[in-house]
Amino acid sequence: MLPTAQSEAWHAALASEPRRRMLAMLTESLDPLDALTVAVGVGVHVTTARFHLDQLEAAGLVSRQVARSGRRGRPQVLYRAATVPQPPEEAQQRLTHALAAVIGEDGDGGRARAVRAGEQWSEQYATGAEADPVPPLMAMLTEIGFEPELRAAESTIALPACPFRTEARAHPDVVCSVHLGLLRGVARSLGHDGDGPRLRPFVQPDLCLVDLPDEWVGPTS
């Protein structure tokens, strides 16, 4: 896994749109490029290009080399994209995307196998029977990164921060079904009806809802 400081340096360096374009240009080039070539390709002044290239180099995303021509004068500085390890979160996203694509080839779009996978995942959060299932569900969803918000008056849990949103948009039948199986499995482990929680994906572009039985969010919740 990447050290936190290095990961933060990458994110800071790539927060600039010109730097992202420069890195893409260097990555696609088979040969190292000089600052003038990069500047022309991106459409900025060569001095500006050198500044951005220095920032990318400081973050470890670009390396430089000096071209020795044998002629007198200032040697030419060339840049190339550095060979760096893939950020763990990007690797995980690629893996999830690949698995979802394969499972999605099932006749039902992958829903049945995805639900079973979610139910198996739920075993990590099994805590035994609980009279009130809502707090354990909220704790599980918080731990995974959904940032759940209980809307007791509506008997729902809002999920505004799905950590798998990109993959869910690409393969909703698979990814959202995994989450449904997860909810069902946790509910059963708490001694409640697994069909109680119902997932409504993407009721808004960045929001999913979990509908709960009314009795789960009654006076005891």
Side-chain angles (χ1 to χ4, degrees):
M1 183 173 290
L2 288 174
T4 300
Q6 184 177 20
S7 179
E8 290 176 351
W10 286 5
H11 287 296
L14 296 176
S16 164
E17 193 270 342
R19 287 200 282 270
R20 292 196 298 271
R21 292 170 59 195
M22 289 179 187
L23 183 59
M25 184 177 177
L26 291 169
T27 300
E28 294 169 1
S29 176
L30 296 177
D31 301 311
L33 305 175
D34 60 22
L36 179 58
T37 301
V38 173
V40 172
V42 176
V44 298
H45 191 276
V46 65
T47 301
T48 302
R50 289 195 182 100
F51 168 78
H52 287 309
L53 289 166
D54 287 345
Q55 299 302 307
L56 290 169
E57 182 183 15
L61 292 165
V62 161
S63 62
R64 72 168 67 195
Q65 64 187 70
V66 177
R68 303 289 182 181
S69 63
R71 293 177 295 183
R72 300 184 63 179
R74 178 180 296 179
Q76 186 180 35
V77 177
L78 301 175
Y79 300 85
R80 68 166 64 247
T83 302
V84 295
Q86 190 179 53
E89 60 271 20
E90 182 175 337
Q92 292 165 4
Q93 289 174 354
R94 290 178 182 272
L95 174 60
T96 302
H97 182 86
L99 291 173
V102 172
I103 295 174
E105 295 174 355
D106 290 357
D108 66 346
R111 287 185 290 273
R113 279 207 291 169
V115 168
R116 291 199 300 273
E119 291 171 339
Q120 185 173 11
W121 185 12
S122 73
E123 295 175 2
Q124 299 179 31
Y125 302 96
T127 60
E130 294 279 351
D132 184 356
V134 175
L137 280 174
M138 293 288 289
M140 177 269 292
L141 292 167
T142 298
E143 180 177 335
I144 294 173
F146 286 97
E147 298 181 14
E149 302 169 1
L150 177 62
R151 299 177 179 179
E154 303 170 17
S155 297
T156 63
I157 298 174
L159 306 177
C162 176
F164 309 97
R165 183 169 291 133
T166 300
E167 294 78 14
R169 283 178 174 151
H171 304 282
D173 286 344
V174 174
V175 178
C176 297
S177 294
V178 169
H179 298 156
L180 176 60
L182 175 64
L183 291 164
R184 288 178 174 176
V186 171
R188 291 193 189 99
S189 76
L190 296 169
H192 293 266
D193 183 2
D195 291 330
R198 297 179 180 274
L199 180 64
R200 283 191 283 153
F202 297 115
V203 295
Q204 296 177 14
D206 295 323
L207 179 66
C208 301
L209 294 177
V210 178
D211 293 326
L212 304 173
D214 292 338
E215 61 269 23
W216 286 16
V217 287
T220 59
S221 296

